[in-house]
Amino acid sequence: MRNVNIWSEEFGAQTDAPILLIMGSMSQGILWPDEFVGRLAAGGRRVIRYRPP
């Protein structure tokens, strides 16, 4: 079995309903605009930005 590192970043409260944002293949999750992520989190969502390994 290989070790796999997965990059992720979370915003909002852990008790909020989660939204997982996945960029296309070979794209970085950081490309989701901070303003967009912030608006989702402010609307009561736990936002998770993720990038495939």
Side-chain angles (χ1 to χ4, degrees), residues 2-53:
R2 296 182 347 181
N3 290 333
V4 177
N5 293 320
I6 297 174
W7 178 91
S8 67
E9 187 174 35
E10 295 187 30
F11 303 86
Q14 288 194 356
T15 55
D16 291 340
I19 295 177
L20 177 62
L21 301 178
I22 303 173
M23 273 290 179
S25 178
M26 302 303 290
S27 295
Q28 296 183 11
I30 197 74
L31 294 176
W32 288 104
D34 289 336
E35 181 179 315
F36 175 66
V37 172
R39 291 182 73 190
L40 290 172
R45 299 291 183 175
R46 180 172 145 221
V47 184
I48 306 161
R49 291 196 283 198
Y50 160 79
R51 180 180 59 83

